Amino acid sequence: MGVNIRFFIGKGGVGKSTTSALTALNNAHLGHDTILVSMDPAHNQSDIFQRPFTEKPKQVVRNLAVKEIDLDYWMATYLKDTQAQLKKAYSYQSAFNIHSYYKILKYSPGLEEYALLLAFKNTLQTEKKRDNIVFDMPPTALTMRFFSLPFISLIWLKALLKLRGQIYDKKGIISKIKFGKREIERDKVKDRLKSLIDDHIQLQKYFTADGTDINLELNNDHLSFQEAIRIRQKLADIGIDIGRILINKVKNGELLEEITNQFNGYPICRFPLSSGELYGLQSLKKYTLEIPLFAIPNPVGEIR
Amino acid sequence: MVSFLDRIQRKIVTVFKTTDAVMRNRAVETVEYELEELDNIFGILVLGTFIGIPAPPIHITMDLLPLMERELNLMLEKVSTAQDPLGDLFSVLGID
């Protein structure tokens, strides 16, 4: 995997969109082909850069493109594909009235994070030639569901595959006794389960690969600090380690020592509180110039 | 004479084959019942979201649904015998 993947995660309001925009801008300035992807349904990047973005990447400056994930589009596309397969497979679909059921399926719990995963997979495929992909993630709840979905899915998929294996073996026994030879057709469900397992293992690998960098962001206040501790723990529970701590809107004194001690061993970047609002390309550029020791993570994971 | 013996032989072979098939079918009846139950459990596990029991993440159900027409059908069939599971079991075991 040649491309560097950067996630910006943390409590809502800590400044993930701004720091991911600054990082992407800095990476582009250093000559690395970068795309900034807004995964947050609230989509602040269009406000920050003061221009509309869509699913189609839009070039903002040299080496930097931005796109916003449209979750509704990914949910609709997924449901449409499944429905088409269902129509093909089921001869009596109308008997179950599944067609009308699809209208409410988009409100099913879990579909939002799956749509996010589909968009993530698609971005990796379409943008693999770039040097960096920077993901501006949604607030904690959806982000945690996004990261844990492959993990939870794999638990289910492996259990279902085991049961399916038992069913397949029993079919083999019946065929052997009845017809004297083990002659059973390929189990499509078993094949699909195997392919889903491979897909989810691959997704898990993306989250833990060397080129992946998870930036956990917080402010030096108690609420975001405590939430950051919980995020780190929950990610560790599913085998994902964070790569860096970003302290944004740093004000002097408060909690800084405690944060440093708590996250001892992790690289820590500090983004000082800006004197003005970080709004528009010029103010972002100005902010990077204002601070001589500006610690933006660079594309090879070091601190400038 | 040869033709008569041939006919006898063919009849014996037919009787033997039929007996063999019947015995083989009887031998797998219980395994087939067990298989049907396993298929039903698999269907309930995957499609649990449709009947209000804990289910896998929705995308797993959605991905497998087009391939599970038989299991869905089986679940519906099972509904009719759900009130009398012992009766269903006894009929498989040949208990009157």
Side-chain angles (χ1 to χ4, degrees), chain A residues 78-79 82 86 89-92 96 101-102 105 109 111 114 153 156-157 160 163-164 167 170-171 174 177-178 188-189 192-193 196 200, chain B residues 24-25 28 31-32 34-35 38-39 41-42 45-46 50 55-60 62-73 76:
Chain A
Y78 175 65
L79 288 175
T82 322
L86 209 62
Y90 281 38
S91 49
Y92 51 92
F96 291 120
Y101 193 65
Y102 265 78
L105 275 178
L111 207 56
Y114 189 61
S153 300
W156 272 96
L157 288 167
L160 290 173
L163 179 58
R164 203 70 197 178
I167 292 172
K170 286 230 176 333
K171 278 183 184 167
I174 291 170
I177 296 173
K178 265 187 164 177
K188 285 180 187 170
V189 174
R192 184 72 190 126
L193 283 169
L196 283 172
H200 285 80
Chain B
R24 282 174 189 273
N25 275 331
V28 293
V31 188
E32 276 181 330
E34 197 185 330
L35 177 68
L38 280 176
D39 264 338
I41 290 168
F42 187 84
L45 272 178
V46 177
F50 289 81
I58 186 74
H59 71 278
I60 294 179
M62 301 293 288
D63 274 340
L64 296 178
L65 192 59
L67 307 170
M68 289 183 58
E69 186 177 17
R70 200 174 67 81
E71 283 81 357
L72 200 56
N73 210 6
L76 290 176

Side-chain angles (χ1 to χ4, degrees), chain A residues 271-289:
Chain A
F271 287 73
L273 185 66
S274 167
S275 51
E277 205 174 357
L278 290 174
Y279 188 66
L281 198 53
Q282 290 312 314
S283 67
L284 291 175
K285 281 182 178 169
K286 190 166 165 266
Y287 178 75
T288 59
L289 293 172

Side-chain angles (χ1 to χ4, degrees), chain A residues 9-199:
Chain A
I9 65 170
K11 189 181 186 309
V14 291
K16 296 182 291 296
S17 299
T18 309
T19 46
S20 57
L22 286 165
T23 305
L25 206 56
N26 185 55
N27 288 178
H29 179 70
L30 291 172
H32 301 278
D33 188 7
T34 303
I35 182 163
L36 171 61
V37 185
S38 172
M39 301 275 269
D40 187 351
H43 291 320
N44 296 131
Q45 295 303 344
S46 49
D47 302 327
I48 290 172
F49 286 95
Q50 291 181 302
R51 64 191 76 182
F53 296 117
T54 60
E55 276 278 340
K56 199 178 162 196
K58 188 184 270 185
Q59 205 70 21
V60 174
V61 289
R62 195 163 173 264
N63 289 327
L64 177 62
V66 182
K67 76 169 184 174
E68 284 183 348
I69 297 301
D70 181 353
L71 277 187
D72 286 339
Y73 163 79
W74 284 101
M75 276 195 265
T77 307
Y78 175 65
L79 288 175
K80 204 172 147 193
D81 289 351
T82 322
Q83 198 178 5
Q85 284 178 37
L86 209 62
K87 268 184 186 168
K88 228 187 287 175
Y90 281 38
S91 49
Y92 51 92
Q93 194 213 158
S94 56
F96 291 120
N97 208 10
I98 286 173
H99 179 76
S100 61
Y101 193 65
Y102 265 78
K103 286 177 192 163
I104 56 161
L105 275 178
K106 69 172 182 174
Y107 303 108
S108 295
L111 207 56
E112 197 179 23
E113 52 265 37
Y114 189 61
L116 215 53
L117 266 181
L118 290 175
F120 172 70
K121 264 168 71 178
N122 174 267
T123 302
L124 294 187
Q125 275 165 11
T126 53
E127 309 295 340
K128 61 186 172 195
K129 286 187 179 159
R130 296 193 192 261
D131 299 319
N132 293 300
I133 306 178
V134 178
F135 289 101
D136 172 21
M137 297 299 285
T140 310
L142 184 54
T143 294
M144 294 311 291
R145 294 205 306 270
F146 167 82
F147 280 119
S148 57
L149 189 58
F151 178 81
I152 293 166
S153 300
L154 274 171
I155 293 174
W156 272 96
L157 288 167
K158 283 176 182 172
L160 290 173
L161 183 65
K162 197 177 162 193
L163 179 58
R164 203 70 197 178
Q166 286 175 9
I167 292 172
Y168 195 71
D169 287 346
K170 286 230 176 333
K171 278 183 184 167
I173 292 169
I174 291 170
S175 162
K176 204 169 179 183
I177 296 173
K178 265 187 164 177
F179 311 111
K181 53 186 173 183
R182 194 185 165 96
E183 205 174 58
I184 42 174
E185 61 182 53
R186 275 191 82 86
D187 186 354
K188 285 180 187 170
V189 174
K190 198 173 159 190
D191 290 348
R192 184 72 190 126
L193 283 169
K194 279 182 185 165
S195 105
L196 283 172
I197 287 176
D198 290 344
D199 282 356

Side-chain angles (χ1 to χ4, degrees), chain B residues 9-65:
Chain B
Q9 191 189 4
R10 270 201 296 270
K11 279 205 183 303
I12 291 170
V13 169
T14 311
V15 168
F16 179 77
K17 276 186 178 169
T18 312
T19 314
D20 181 59
V22 169
M23 295 311 283
R24 282 174 189 273
N25 275 331
R26 289 204 65 175
V28 293
E29 259 177 16
T30 352
V31 188
E32 276 181 330
Y33 178 75
E34 197 185 330
L35 177 68
E36 202 174 85
E37 285 303 315
L38 280 176
D39 264 338
N40 191 35
I41 290 168
F42 187 84
I44 289 171
L45 272 178
V46 177
L47 309 169
T49 189
F50 289 81
I51 53 172
I53 64 162
I58 186 74
H59 71 278
I60 294 179
T61 303
M62 301 293 288
D63 274 340
L64 296 178
L65 192 59

